Amino acid sequence: MTDSTAPSRGTDAIQAVKLKHPIRTTFAVLIVLVVALFVWDAATRDAYQWDVVAKYLFDRRISQAALITLALTVCSMVLAIVMGLVLAVMRLSDNPVLKSVSWVYLWLFRGTPVYVQLVFWGLLGTIYKTVTIGLPGTPFTFGEISPFAGLDLFWLAVLGLAFNEAAYMAEIVRSGILSVDRGQDEAARALGMGWRQTMLRIVVPQSMRVIIPPTGNEVISMLKTTSLVTALGFSLELYARTRAISSQIYAVVPLLIVASIWYLAVTSVLMVGQYYLERYYARGVAAQRPDLGDEGPMPATGTIGTLPSEEATVSGVAGDDAGTVPSGAPPGARTATLTKSDGAAASDPSVDDADANDGDDPADTSGEGGRA
């Protein structure tokens, strides 16, 4: 049997020469030199006070603030994702009331700065000290409540961040749902699935490939947005805590470095989680899989390669069956011949189609088309 890895008869082996990039290499060297100079300067500059950085990097107050910041991020994003999913479904609904409510919500929370919203959340306890439930314009009342009296500032901050983020998550989820081919929904309904089954088992899992990357970006953005919760009076998160310590010891720069290191560390962990989450939902779609890049797996059609020229010898075909592809033969005939040599594509419908085409090929006198 002919070795399938041997060069084809009548063709010369291709000598690949690696392309050189002198400009790119020079630019990379310059960047490395600039970074090295900056690091050396920063390491020897007294203004950074690295001894203070080392002292407060693992300070108990700082580590607790980092955990509170992470908790704020996770709780806010979980609530925002749930709300965003509901708002996206409402926006895509045929019900004009639900669609209008969703649109107004997005317009309101995307149209005002998050800092202003957080200030309002902090004032809600003052604005709505008590809420009376009854019939408007009549003396009939059923009761009186204080909705924000017992609400902790941490949860008030979570609500403020989540309500703002939900408006952006709704658009991300909506774009993901719209990216799923319409035929998937029609096929699911043809199989007897209801709307809930279609969304949960067909549409939402497929849309996750589009939703995960921007959602990961929003999570990292939320981590830094938590520094704005001081607007409603919450001062236990990372940035507020480092700023309070720096004002006590009159050392602003080293505490800013401490906060930056913690933000970078948490961001790195979140990015690793995003990588594995993307890889999980990109199963079967090679182009979007981070571990496969642009290469991806071999196509499932069984095709093993393309011919270098019109008269090239078919490699990998045993014994006397090996031959040349007639000039002018349709591409399908050449593909069918290569697939047949693979042995696993004998039942491939594409081979049968190619054979049917070969029957019309005037160069095919065997009556069996391109089959070996």
Side-chain angles (χ1 to χ4, degrees):
M1 179 178 290
T2 306
D3 184 4
S4 61
T5 60
S8 303
R9 288 176 294 178
T11 60
D12 296 330
I14 298 176
Q15 299 294 330
V17 179
K18 188 176 181 181
L19 187 63
K20 297 180 179 178
H21 302 277
I23 297 178
R24 186 172 65 182
T25 305
T26 304
F27 191 65
V29 171
L30 287 176
I31 291 177
V32 172
L33 287 176
V34 170
V35 172
L37 287 174
F38 175 78
V39 172
W40 178 80
D41 176 76
T44 57
R45 191 172 290 270
D46 295 335
Y48 288 108
Q49 303 182 48
W50 293 108
D51 55 334
V52 179
V53 173
K55 179 180 179 181
Y56 286 96
L57 183 60
F58 297 105
D59 186 272
R60 182 176 56 84
R61 295 169 293 176
I62 299 294
S63 57
Q64 286 179 347
L67 291 177
I68 292 174
T69 300
L70 186 60
L72 270 176
T73 303
V74 174
C75 294
S76 302
M77 282 308 301
V78 170
L79 184 57
I81 290 172
V82 175
M83 293 176 63
L85 179 62
V86 174
L87 289 169
V89 174
M90 290 171 62
R91 186 86 186 275
L92 295 173
S93 171
D94 295 332
N95 189 322
V97 176
L98 295 180
K99 186 180 293 186
S100 300
V101 170
S102 176
W103 187 90
V104 170
Y105 183 95
L106 267 63
W107 167 76
L108 179 63
F109 282 91
R110 290 199 304 175
T112 53
V114 61
Y115 189 86
V116 175
Q117 295 175 28
L118 291 173
V119 171
F120 265 108
W121 279 96
L123 295 174
L124 284 178
T126 305
I127 298 174
Y128 299 100
K129 288 183 178 179
T130 58
V131 175
T132 303
I133 302 174
L135 297 177
T138 65
F140 298 103
T141 59
F142 302 106
E144 193 174 82
I145 60 173
S146 300
F148 300 100
L151 192 61
D152 188 74
L153 278 180
F154 174 84
W155 293 110
L156 203 60
V158 169
L159 291 176
L161 294 172
F163 271 68
N164 175 74
E165 183 61 30
Y168 298 93
M169 283 304 306
E171 289 300 276
I172 293 175
V173 174
R174 187 171 69 93
S175 64
I177 293 176
L178 291 177
S179 69
V180 179
D181 189 82
R182 184 71 176 174
Q184 298 291 312
D185 181 73
E186 295 172 353
R189 293 180 184 277
L191 291 173
M193 290 186 179
W195 179 85
R196 180 175 174 274
Q197 276 186 312
T198 303
M199 290 297 294
L200 294 180
R201 302 185 63 177
I202 304 297
V203 177
V204 172
Q206 292 190 44
S207 65
M208 292 300 285
R209 290 188 292 107
V210 177
I211 294 175
I212 291 297
T215 301
N217 191 49
E218 290 298 313
V219 173
I220 293 173
S221 177
M222 176 63 76
L223 175 70
K224 292 170 286 187
T225 307
T226 56
S227 62
L228 298 179
V229 295
T230 53
L232 53 80
F234 186 76
S235 58
L236 297 179
E237 51 84 31
L238 181 59
Y239 177 68
R241 184 61 66 88
T242 54
R243 192 177 57 180
I245 296 175
S246 66
S247 63
Q248 294 175 357
I249 63 175
Y250 301 104
V252 177
V253 175
L255 268 300
L256 285 177
I257 295 175
V258 170
S260 301
I261 291 174
W262 274 99
Y263 278 123
L264 286 173
V266 177
T267 300
S268 302
V269 174
L270 294 176
M271 289 179 69
V272 171
Q274 178 186 348
Y275 170 82
Y276 284 104
L277 204 57
E278 278 189 45
R279 195 173 69 167
Y280 176 79
Y281 281 106
R283 292 174 299 175
V285 185
Q288 282 79 25
R289 287 186 59 170
D291 57 332
L292 296 180
D294 297 331
E295 296 179 359
M298 292 293 291
T301 58
T303 304
I304 60 174
T306 56
L307 296 178
S309 65
E310 293 288 338
E311 298 294 336
T313 303
V314 179
S315 62
V317 180
D320 297 333
D321 291 336
T324 59
V325 175
S327 176
R334 287 184 290 154
T335 303
T337 303
L338 292 170
T339 305
K340 181 67 173 66
S341 66
D342 184 69
S347 61
D348 190 343
S350 62
V351 177
D352 297 331
D353 295 340
D355 292 342
N357 294 331
D358 290 343
D360 297 330
D361 187 357
D364 185 6
T365 58
S366 64
E368 297 180 354
R371 285 179 177 272

